[in-house]
Amino acid sequence: MNIKFSILGILIVSVLFVSSCYYDKEDLLYGGANSAPCTDTTGVISYTQKIVPMLQQYCYSCHTGSFPSGNQVMGTYATDKAMAQNGKLYGTINHAAGYSPMPKGMAKMSNCQIATIKKWVDSGMLNN
Ligand code: HEC
């Protein structure tokens, strides 16, 4: 291999390296390439405006009605708060050891969505 090809090779590798760093940062800042910028964790997290729409999209289809999956009832403030209090809400969406990963059979929720739910839990699970 002559010197020109080696330089070209190094250039290509550097460009790939730099662009992969760029994606890493984007992942950290925005919680994954497929999600909007994570501005949701600023301020007080509203149960009705932020948490319910997410649980509706990812959980309620299986965990409401007369025969909720795994006998885990969701869909009202009382049931969602109970699941948050016993640690199962955060444990399952964060795919923590000892919990069944949720939403079942689907991609993990984005870092931003998980962080938003965690903040709601940590700040007292307000019914707001
Ligand atoms: C496609 C259906 C489906 C969806 C969507 C779904 N679940 Fe589940 N879930 C199940 C089934 C089935 C079980 C029981 C079997 C198991 O534990 O894997 C279960 C079990 C659970 C459990 C008990 C597991 C444990 O480790 O104690 C919790 C808590 C739970 N789900 C929460 C959620 C949350 C929160 C969401 C939304 C992020 C969600 N689920 C979305 C089907 C679903």
Side-chain angles (χ1 to χ4, degrees):
M1 191 191 269
N2 73 30
I3 187 96
K4 274 186 196 154
F5 279 115
S6 308
I7 291 173
L8 189 66
I10 290 168
L11 271 177
I12 290 171
V13 168
S14 327
V15 166
L16 287 174
F17 183 72
V18 167
S19 57
S20 72
C21 281
Y22 176 74
Y23 276 105
D24 285 349
K25 281 192 200 139
E26 192 177 53
D27 263 0
L28 278 176
L29 286 171
Y30 302 131
N34 61 342
S35 62
C38 193
T39 54
D40 293 3
T41 50
T42 42
V44 176
I45 309 292
S46 162
Y47 171 70
T48 38
Q49 283 172 31
K50 289 275 193 262
I51 304 301
V52 170
M54 273 194 274
L55 300 183
Q56 217 154 31
Q57 183 182 349
Y58 290 98
C59 316
Y60 289 173
S61 57
C62 295
H63 289 289
T64 55
S66 315
F67 303 102
S69 291
N71 227 6
Q72 301 290 317
V73 189
M74 303 179 78
T76 64
Y77 172 69
T79 56
D80 295 348
K81 184 186 180 190
M83 187 180 278
Q85 272 176 325
N86 67 24
K88 288 187 173 186
L89 176 62
Y90 184 65
T92 53
I93 62 170
N94 195 38
H95 296 190
Y99 295 98
S100 187
M102 295 289 148
K104 196 166 194 72
M106 296 180 217
K108 193 179 178 184
M109 294 169 80
S110 76
N111 292 343
C112 183
Q113 291 170 320
I114 294 169
T116 305
I117 290 179
K118 184 174 195 304
K119 189 170 178 199
W120 175 72
V121 174
D122 290 348
S123 51
M125 300 156 282
L126 300 178
N127 187 6
N128 53 355

